[in-house]
Amino acid sequence: AKEEREEDLVIIKAIYGVMDSESYEWVGDRRLCSMDATAQVQFWVQDSSVHLPAMSKKHMLGFYDVMMGLKTDDWTRDKPATTDDWEKINYLARIVKRWRGSWRSSRLEDKRKLVVVLTVRYKFAGQIFEVMYYDDQAVDLPSSGATIVTI
């Protein structure tokens, strides 16, 4: 491994894939809808840190479009929204349902809302951490937002 000292950053496991935005469970065929990105993220380690730009990782060396394994009829791409955004969306959805005179869900509402994420488990300064980034977020490791993993 490129980084070997106890205080250095070492990527233990990185997964780039599709999750259900409500349950945060991996979806689809794991071979098509997610990939082991450990080597790709470790490649970007320099001076015990990783800095990836705020862009879809599918455009970066060694990554691919993990959404290609899903049928577009069954999902909509979900973007992380603020609480205010969801309140507005839910309010408008209720108005539309009443206007239609039916409480039955529309086809769009039946679709799964999915997000593409990069999860990274890494070792730094003798501790193991785990963090998740949305696809278009910048990645900065080590991360102050990471959770310490106890084994």
Side-chain angles (χ1 to χ4, degrees), residues 1 4 7-10 18 32 38 44 59 68 70 75-76 80 83 88 94 99 101 112-113 117 124 145:
E4 295 182 10
E7 66 273 5
D8 288 341
L9 176 68
V10 177
V18 182
L32 295 176
T38 307
W44 293 103
H59 301 296
M68 72 180 175
L70 296 171
W75 60 269
T76 59
T83 304
K88 291 175 191 171
R94 286 194 306 271
W99 181 73
R112 295 179 77 178
K113 293 180 181 164
V117 297
F124 181 71

Side-chain angles (χ1 to χ4, degrees), residues 10-101:
V10 177
I11 306 303
I12 297 169
K13 185 75 170 175
I15 298 174
Y16 178 65
V18 182
M19 283 189 161
D20 183 296
S21 68
E22 293 174 5
S23 68
Y24 282 93
E25 292 181 8
W26 297 106
V27 298
D29 183 339
R30 290 291 301 247
R31 294 168 297 172
L32 295 176
C33 299
S34 66
M35 62 174 279
D36 183 336
T38 307
Q40 290 82 342
V41 177
Q42 184 65 46
F43 173 81
W44 293 103
V45 173
Q46 185 175 10
D47 298 326
S48 284
S49 63
V50 173
H51 304 287
L52 301 179
M55 63 182 271
S56 176
K57 308 310 174 262
K58 70 182 176 186
H59 301 296
M60 299 188 69
L61 182 65
F63 289 83
Y64 62 86
D65 184 359
V66 291
M67 293 291 274
M68 72 180 175
L70 296 171
K71 295 187 300 184
T72 57
D73 293 344
D74 298 330
W75 60 269
T76 59
R77 185 178 290 253
D78 197 13
K79 291 194 176 210
T82 65
T83 304
D84 290 340
D85 291 339
W86 282 118
E87 288 174 5
K88 291 175 191 171
I89 290 167
N90 288 332
Y91 175 73
L92 291 173
R94 286 194 306 271
I95 289 173
V96 169
K97 284 181 184 179
R98 285 186 193 141
W99 181 73
R100 286 184 184 161

Side-chain angles (χ1 to χ4, degrees), residues 81-150:
T82 65
T83 304
D84 290 340
D85 291 339
W86 282 118
E87 288 174 5
K88 291 175 191 171
I89 290 167
N90 288 332
Y91 175 73
L92 291 173
R94 286 194 306 271
I95 289 173
V96 169
K97 284 181 184 179
R98 285 186 193 141
W99 181 73
R100 286 184 184 161
S102 169
W103 287 94
R104 196 175 142 265
S105 297
S106 71
R107 177 69 182 124
L108 181 60
E109 291 164 340
D110 290 340
K111 292 183 177 186
R112 295 179 77 178
K113 293 180 181 164
L114 306 177
V115 291
V116 177
V117 297
L118 174 67
T119 61
V120 183
R121 181 174 284 202
Y122 63 93
K123 185 175 181 183
F124 181 71
Q127 292 187 304
I128 296 175
F129 299 88
E130 195 165 80
V131 65
M132 183 179 75
Y133 294 95
Y134 291 104
D135 188 28
D136 57 357
Q137 281 184 305
V139 174
D140 290 304
L141 299 175
S143 171
S144 60
T147 303
I148 296 175
V149 177
T150 55

